[in-house]
Amino acid sequence: MTLKLDETSLTLRRVDGEETVSALASGEVRLGLGEPEIGRVLSLRALPRLGPANWNEGQAQATGLVDLVLIYESGGQAQARRVSGSMSGQHGGEGQETEGQGVEAGSEGGEVDAGSGASEWGEGASNAGKHPHGEKDTEGKTRATSAEGHLLTPEDETGAGPGDVLESSVWRDALQFEAWAELNLQAALERSTGASPVDAEPGKEPNRETRTPEGRPEVEQSSGSAQSAVTDGAIPVELRADCRVESIEYQVDEDGRGLQVEVSLSVTFRATHQETIQLVTGVSAGTKRVHLEGERAVLEQLVGQGQASQTVRGHVPLDTTGHPAARRLLDVRPVAAIERSEAGSGSVEVQGTIRLAVLYVPIDASQGALAAAFWPTATKWSAVIPVAGTQPGHKPRPKASIGGFDAALDDDGRGLEFALELEIQTDVVALTNLTLLESVDGDGIELAVATNALELEALVGETTSQVNLQQELEVGEPLPGVEHVLLGEGQIRVDRAQCRQDQVQVEGSLDLEMFYMAGGWEATPEVVSWPKGLEFGETLVVPGVHAGDTAKVEAQVVEVQLVRRNSRVVSANVSVQFSVRVVRPLAVDGVTDVVEIPPLEEDPPALRFVLLQPGDTLWRLATRYRTTVEGLKAENPWISTEGLKAGRKVCIPQRILVRNS
């Protein structure tokens, strides 16, 4: 045989279904013994975390817990109690890639005391058994411990002062919530493989079944992970879920010692599976001419996945940044940012920084009851993540999060020492530039071509861009006017991404929040929120993009700067990093195999024995010798149990006695 094939094996990640639904967490939380009653709420923040996503009665399901962080003025000092309020988007997150509507799902929370740390979470919870925001000691004080970039520390042992009107409290596992989504995997799986999903019981590890080319099953037990897998017979489907806070409603109890809280969340479920396909990308036949037709495309092949965790330590000064020394910490908010990543042999190196924001009570009472500081680069970090099969030139796609946090003031209050647990996860892909063959013809040679209907995504381009968004914001009545700004925070939403010629138009909004000191006879700390306070429409340049392509956008707030213009107006300058990846849907009948068919003999034998060669399949044998797969199996019953093995003889039955015209 003179035929030579260039074959490529691609491992692709397929999205089988994605849906965003609403969830509700509500209940009552109560202050602990010794904590002053609530006079006026300054800030209430909700920090959700999800347990493993599961399949339950054919639906995607996830259960989560919400920690609550409260900063308030005590009842004895506050001039007026804010008994109710609402806050939007208190927990930052990545921009959504898709829009979705879902049904509301929630569970009523019970009464929770501050610092109790009681939980029914069980296995799979992050930092299980450890209070993520602080633990009460025997004297009722709180050690500075935090998760997901947040920390609370009540008063230390220094003397009381005017700033002591400000208090902070935390409730771990305060509220529970549940979300359900009806992901229709049937159509997606049938398009790609012809398989159908089978439900997996929550809490169980389903069997993952793969098959040999001859159809013999090979079963292996899946390992536990933060996402669940459901088998469809031949394909393990992974289910992941992410959540973000949309809004918080609260009301202070009449005795000032508790809150009625309602947290609205959005939960996004995504089901994916890995699929390996074999493609023929080139054909040659010695001196004979072969005609090839196809389309060039860049495909992303999944190489592997990896994760790592490490402790990052640092120290930041207060006095050298122009801020007064601290007497008490109220809130510390670190964020892990990735600056660069590079693939090596069997590993990925990721480098980044920790951004840090601090709210605290200053030592000098003349400076006001509240002060703040921000460090764009509190410390740098690097991590090496093992990923089997990775080589230089592959492309990592890392994400970093903070799993636990500790902080303490220096003895003189002029600096802050911190340590955090950093968790990094990464996918690694290889960009493969190839020709998707759709037809193969030969001159003076008879060829049989096998094709498969493929739905693929070709990578058009990707870019990362940092832009500054600006907007003037008004502080309306009844809030007092602004004396000076302390700290600004923002959460971004991407609502729409549309492709045009060499461009991606991204539209969305930011929820903004500002801590500030109010003017007047006596300075007081205040907080103002602007839901969708800044709307944007940015044009990002991505060469090669056409209308009809699909843009997948992630956005992250890098820094929020709020500058006082007058007592009622502040100017917002928000630095945002956009990561855009554009793909083009491709529907092709891809060539998966080509066989040269020898000329038909005048007097073919009734039986022939052939020595199997590496790469032989039933289709190749049946096509080459003008018979059928069923006929081969009938003459060689051992194939069904043993499969095809190179070096063994196979009996070719009577060929079809019909000459091709």
Side-chain angles (χ1 to χ4, degrees):
M1 294 293 177
T2 59
L3 199 66
K4 181 180 178 181
L5 306 182
D6 295 330
E7 297 180 274
T8 299
S9 176
L10 296 177
T11 301
L12 307 176
R13 181 185 293 279
R14 303 286 201 178
V15 177
D16 303 311
E18 183 174 9
E19 185 176 357
T20 299
V21 300
S22 298
L24 186 68
S26 62
E28 181 183 19
V29 291
R30 302 283 294 174
L31 294 172
L33 295 176
E35 291 187 296
E37 69 178 55
I38 302 169
R40 186 168 68 100
V41 173
L42 281 182
S43 173
L44 179 64
R45 196 163 62 256
L47 309 174
R49 63 185 187 278
L50 280 171
N54 293 294
W55 298 98
N56 193 346
E57 297 181 356
Q59 292 182 302
Q61 180 258 350
T63 303
L65 297 170
V66 178
D67 299 338
L68 296 175
V69 180
L70 174 68
I71 299 177
Y72 66 99
E73 289 185 349
S74 60
Q77 299 281 351
Q79 297 176 354
R81 175 182 297 166
R82 182 195 285 180
V83 296
S84 64
S86 63
M87 300 179 182
S88 298
Q90 295 295 306
H91 185 262
E94 295 177 347
Q96 298 294 317
E97 294 181 5
T98 59
E99 299 179 24
Q101 295 181 347
V103 297
E104 182 178 279
S107 59
E108 295 295 329
E111 183 177 303
V112 181
D113 290 335
S116 65
S119 172
E120 298 295 333
W121 190 236
E123 295 182 359
S126 60
N127 301 312
K130 177 182 178 182
H131 197 301
H133 309 292
E135 296 183 356
K136 297 290 183 180
D137 60 21
T138 55
E139 298 178 357
K141 299 183 176 61
T142 304
R143 297 195 298 274
T145 308
S146 171
E148 299 184 2
H150 302 275
L151 167 146
L152 282 182
T153 50
E155 186 174 357
D156 59 15
E157 296 181 1
T158 59
D164 289 333
V165 64
L166 292 177
E167 302 290 343
S168 56
S169 191
V170 62
W171 294 270
R172 187 198 182 207
D173 303 343
L175 308 174
Q176 299 180 10
F177 66 94
E178 193 172 36
W180 295 76
E182 294 184 1
L183 293 178
N184 182 13
L185 308 187
Q186 184 80 27
L189 290 173
E190 287 182 350
R191 277 198 306 270
S192 59
T193 63
S196 302
V198 178
D199 292 341
E201 290 296 325
K204 290 186 178 181
E205 294 182 344
N207 289 332
R208 293 182 176 178
E209 180 179 282
T210 59
R211 293 183 181 273
T212 66
E214 291 73 37
R216 292 184 293 109
E218 293 181 350
V219 180
E220 57 178 321
Q221 197 73 10
S222 67
S223 59
S225 61
Q227 68 277 348
S228 70
V230 57
T231 60
D232 57 68
I235 306 170
V237 178
E238 292 185 350
L239 179 65
R240 298 193 180 193
D242 297 298
C243 72
R244 61 182 290 161
V245 173
E246 296 296 331
S247 64
I248 307 171
E249 302 287 339
Y250 68 88
Q251 183 171 353
V252 181
D253 292 346
E254 292 185 0
D255 61 0
R257 301 203 57 78
L259 292 173
Q260 302 289 335
V261 183
E262 186 175 282
V263 181
S264 297
L265 307 105
S266 65
V267 181
T268 300
F269 292 92
R270 173 177 285 194
T272 63
H273 74 270
Q274 294 182 26
E275 179 182 342
T276 300
I277 59 175
Q278 292 287 134
L279 295 176
V280 175
T281 57
V283 181
S284 61
T287 59
K288 298 179 181 179
R289 180 174 295 180
V290 177
H291 304 281
L292 307 177
E293 290 187 6
E295 182 176 353
R296 295 291 295 180
V298 178
L299 302 180
E300 287 187 342
Q301 180 173 194
L302 180 65
V303 176
Q305 300 170 296
Q307 59 183 9
S309 61
Q310 66 181 58
T311 301
V312 177
R313 302 180 185 276
H315 182 276
V316 290
L318 281 172
D319 55 345
T320 60
T321 59
H323 298 281
R327 184 160 54 83
R328 287 194 297 124
L329 288 174
L330 288 176
D331 203 354
V332 179
R333 309 176 184 187
V335 176
I338 294 175
E339 292 189 330
R340 63 178 297 271
S341 60
E342 184 176 0
S345 297
S347 65
V348 172
E349 182 180 5
V350 184
Q351 297 179 353
T353 60
I354 300 297
R355 298 195 294 266
L356 199 64
V358 178
L359 286 169
Y360 64 95
V361 175
I363 289 178
D364 188 352
S366 65
Q367 299 288 336
L370 184 62
F374 174 74
W375 295 269
T377 305
T379 190
K380 295 185 177 182
W381 56 268
S382 63
V384 176
I385 306 172
V387 183
T390 301
Q391 296 295 332
H394 290 167
K395 189 172 184 61
R397 301 194 186 281
K399 293 184 178 182
S401 61
I402 295 174
F405 185 73
D406 296 311
L409 287 170
D410 295 345
D411 291 339
D412 58 3
R414 299 184 182 278
L416 178 72
E417 185 175 0
F418 63 89
L420 57 87
E421 292 299 319
L422 187 65
E423 298 175 354
I424 312 106
Q425 296 180 336
T426 186
D427 290 350
V428 179
V429 299
L431 302 183
T432 305
N433 194 334
L434 50 77
T435 298
L436 296 171
L437 293 181
E438 296 185 80
S439 67
V440 180
D441 295 310
D443 291 343
I445 181 174
E446 184 178 357
L447 300 177
V449 179
T451 62
N452 188 15
L454 302 175
E455 293 188 4
L456 305 172
E457 286 186 343
L459 179 66
V460 179
E462 53 187 331
T463 186
T464 299
S465 178
Q466 188 162 312
V467 301
N468 290 326
L469 307 176
Q470 297 181 336
Q471 177 73 45
E472 287 197 343
L473 304 169
E474 182 179 357
V475 179
E477 300 288 351
L479 287 171
V482 179
E483 180 66 24
H484 68 269
V485 177
L486 295 171
L487 184 67
E489 285 199 328
Q491 175 176 287
I492 191 168
R493 289 178 174 84
V494 175
D495 299 322
R496 186 168 178 260
Q498 184 176 9
C499 293
R500 300 175 180 175
Q501 186 67 39
D502 297 326
Q503 295 179 344
V504 176
Q505 182 72 25
V506 182
E507 299 176 1
S509 63
L510 285 106
D511 298 334
L512 296 173
E513 182 181 77
M514 179 178 70
F515 285 80
Y516 70 99
M517 295 302 297
W521 291 100
E522 184 176 349
T524 58
E526 300 288 343
V527 178
V528 59
S529 297
W530 294 280
K532 295 188 177 181
L534 196 161
E535 296 184 347
F536 62 86
E538 288 294 316
T539 299
L540 307 177
V541 177
V542 185
V545 172
H546 298 157
D549 292 342
T550 301
K552 301 181 179 182
V553 181
E554 292 184 353
Q556 183 177 16
V557 175
V558 177
E559 184 177 357
V560 177
Q561 293 182 340
L562 300 176
V563 179
R564 179 185 183 275
R565 295 303 181 197
N566 57 55
S567 63
R568 287 294 172 187
V569 177
V570 296
S571 178
N573 188 343
V574 184
S575 178
V576 176
Q577 180 173 290
F578 291 101
S579 297
V580 183
R581 180 169 151 266
V582 180
V583 298
R584 182 170 298 154
L586 292 178
V588 298
D589 291 328
V591 175
T592 57
D593 207 349
V594 181
V595 171
E596 179 182 356
I597 304 177
L600 186 65
E601 301 176 28
E602 292 293 336
D603 187 19
L607 293 175
R608 172 176 291 173
F609 289 91
V610 175
L611 196 65
L612 290 175
Q613 303 298 317
D616 276 343
T617 64
L618 290 174
W619 179 83
R620 286 185 177 182
L621 292 171
T623 304
R624 183 181 301 145
Y625 295 105
R626 304 175 188 268
T627 185
T628 63
V629 172
E630 292 74 14
L632 285 173
K633 288 183 177 181
E635 292 292 335
N636 304 272
W638 52 270
I639 291 178
S640 299
T641 56
E642 300 180 25
L644 299 180
K645 296 181 180 180
R648 182 158 184 177
K649 289 183 178 180
V650 62
C651 178
I652 306 297
Q654 172 69 52
R655 286 165 292 181
I656 301 174
L657 299 179
V658 177
R659 297 178 183 272
N660 293 335
S661 60

PDB file of all heavy atoms in Angstrom, residues 217-228:
ATOM      1  N   PRO A 217     -15.800  -2.395  27.030  1.00  0.00           N
ATOM      2  CA  PRO A 217     -15.805  -1.378  28.075  1.00  0.00           C
ATOM      3  C   PRO A 217     -14.604  -1.518  29.000  1.00  0.00           C
ATOM      4  O   PRO A 217     -14.150  -2.610  29.301  1.00  0.00           O
ATOM      5  CB  PRO A 217     -17.118  -1.662  28.833  1.00  0.00           C
ATOM      6  CG  PRO A 217     -17.356  -3.117  28.615  1.00  0.00           C
ATOM      7  CD  PRO A 217     -16.833  -3.423  27.235  1.00  0.00           C
ATOM      8  N   GLU A 218     -14.079  -0.358  29.395  1.00  0.00           N
ATOM      9  CA  GLU A 218     -13.053  -0.300  30.431  1.00  0.00           C
ATOM     10  C   GLU A 218     -13.559   0.663  31.493  1.00  0.00           C
ATOM     11  O   GLU A 218     -13.799   1.828  31.218  1.00  0.00           O
ATOM     12  CB  GLU A 218     -11.720   0.201  29.861  1.00  0.00           C
ATOM     13  CG  GLU A 218     -11.084  -0.769  28.872  1.00  0.00           C
ATOM     14  CD  GLU A 218      -9.770  -0.247  28.348  1.00  0.00           C
ATOM     15  OE1 GLU A 218      -9.462   0.921  28.613  1.00  0.00           O
ATOM     16  OE2 GLU A 218      -9.062  -1.007  27.678  1.00  0.00           O
ATOM     17  N   VAL A 219     -13.749   0.182  32.721  1.00  0.00           N
ATOM     18  CA  VAL A 219     -14.368   0.977  33.768  1.00  0.00           C
ATOM     19  C   VAL A 219     -13.330   1.346  34.807  1.00  0.00           C
ATOM     20  O   VAL A 219     -12.567   0.503  35.262  1.00  0.00           O
ATOM     21  CB  VAL A 219     -15.533   0.206  34.432  1.00  0.00           C
ATOM     22  CG1 VAL A 219     -16.168   1.045  35.524  1.00  0.00           C
ATOM     23  CG2 VAL A 219     -16.564  -0.175  33.382  1.00  0.00           C
ATOM     24  N   GLU A 220     -13.304   2.652  35.147  1.00  0.00           N
ATOM     25  CA  GLU A 220     -12.443   3.099  36.229  1.00  0.00           C
ATOM     26  C   GLU A 220     -13.256   3.962  37.181  1.00  0.00           C
ATOM     27  O   GLU A 220     -14.219   4.596  36.775  1.00  0.00           O
ATOM     28  CB  GLU A 220     -11.252   3.907  35.684  1.00  0.00           C
ATOM     29  CG  GLU A 220     -11.661   5.100  34.862  1.00  0.00           C
ATOM     30  CD  GLU A 220     -10.465   5.886  34.394  1.00  0.00           C
ATOM     31  OE1 GLU A 220      -9.522   6.010  35.193  1.00  0.00           O
ATOM     32  OE2 GLU A 220     -10.473   6.379  33.260  1.00  0.00           O
ATOM     33  N   GLN A 221     -12.872   3.981  38.442  1.00  0.00           N
ATOM     34  CA  GLN A 221     -13.608   4.735  39.444  1.00  0.00           C
ATOM     35  C   GLN A 221     -13.131   6.175  39.449  1.00  0.00           C
ATOM     36  O   GLN A 221     -11.942   6.438  39.446  1.00  0.00           O
ATOM     37  CB  GLN A 221     -13.387   4.121  40.834  1.00  0.00           C
ATOM     38  CG  GLN A 221     -14.415   4.562  41.860  1.00  0.00           C
ATOM     39  CD  GLN A 221     -15.751   3.905  41.612  1.00  0.00           C
ATOM     40  OE1 GLN A 221     -15.866   3.014  40.812  1.00  0.00           O
ATOM     41  NE2 GLN A 221     -16.774   4.364  42.301  1.00  0.00           N
ATOM     42  N   SER A 222     -14.065   7.125  39.416  1.00  0.00           N
ATOM     43  CA  SER A 222     -13.679   8.528  39.421  1.00  0.00           C
ATOM     44  C   SER A 222     -13.248   8.947  40.815  1.00  0.00           C
ATOM     45  O   SER A 222     -13.647   8.379  41.818  1.00  0.00           O
ATOM     46  CB  SER A 222     -14.862   9.394  38.979  1.00  0.00           C
ATOM     47  OG  SER A 222     -15.888   9.326  39.947  1.00  0.00           O
ATOM     48  N   SER A 223     -12.407   9.964  40.860  1.00  0.00           N
ATOM     49  CA  SER A 223     -11.940  10.485  42.146  1.00  0.00           C
ATOM     50  C   SER A 223     -12.804  11.649  42.580  1.00  0.00           C
ATOM     51  O   SER A 223     -13.425  12.322  41.770  1.00  0.00           O
ATOM     52  CB  SER A 223     -10.479  10.944  42.023  1.00  0.00           C
ATOM     53  OG  SER A 223     -10.365  11.939  41.034  1.00  0.00           O
ATOM     54  N   GLY A 224     -12.852  11.905  43.881  1.00  0.00           N
ATOM     55  CA  GLY A 224     -13.637  13.007  44.398  1.00  0.00           C
ATOM     56  C   GLY A 224     -13.056  14.336  43.985  1.00  0.00           C
ATOM     57  O   GLY A 224     -11.856  14.494  43.868  1.00  0.00           O
ATOM     58  N   SER A 225     -13.916  15.341  43.743  1.00  0.00           N
ATOM     59  CA  SER A 225     -13.461  16.663  43.352  1.00  0.00           C
ATOM     60  C   SER A 225     -14.507  17.675  43.751  1.00  0.00           C
ATOM     61  O   SER A 225     -15.578  17.328  44.214  1.00  0.00           O
ATOM     62  CB  SER A 225     -13.214  16.718  41.840  1.00  0.00           C
ATOM     63  OG  SER A 225     -14.410  16.446  41.145  1.00  0.00           O
ATOM     64  N   ALA A 226     -14.195  18.955  43.546  1.00  0.00           N
ATOM     65  CA  ALA A 226     -15.111  20.027  43.905  1.00  0.00           C
ATOM     66  C   ALA A 226     -16.299  20.095  42.962  1.00  0.00           C
ATOM     67  O   ALA A 226     -17.262  20.767  43.244  1.00  0.00           O
ATOM     68  CB  ALA A 226     -14.384  21.370  43.908  1.00  0.00           C
ATOM     69  N   GLN A 227     -16.203  19.428  41.834  1.00  0.00           N
ATOM     70  CA  GLN A 227     -17.327  19.344  40.931  1.00  0.00           C
ATOM     71  C   GLN A 227     -17.732  17.883  40.807  1.00  0.00           C
ATOM     72  O   GLN A 227     -16.969  16.994  41.118  1.00  0.00           O
ATOM     73  CB  GLN A 227     -16.983  19.924  39.554  1.00  0.00           C
ATOM     74  CG  GLN A 227     -15.973  19.124  38.751  1.00  0.00           C
ATOM     75  CD  GLN A 227     -14.559  19.438  39.128  1.00  0.00           C
ATOM     76  OE1 GLN A 227     -14.313  20.393  39.829  1.00  0.00           O
ATOM     77  NE2 GLN A 227     -13.635  18.622  38.686  1.00  0.00           N
ATOM     78  N   SER A 228     -18.936  17.645  40.339  1.00  0.00           N
ATOM     79  CA  SER A 228     -19.401  16.274  40.228  1.00  0.00           C
ATOM     80  C   SER A 228     -19.310  15.816  38.784  1.00  0.00           C
ATOM     81  O   SER A 228     -19.195  16.601  37.866  1.00  0.00           O
ATOM     82  CB  SER A 228     -20.852  16.156  40.711  1.00  0.00           C
ATOM     83  OG  SER A 228     -21.726  16.789  39.805  1.00  0.00           O
TER      84      SER A 228
END
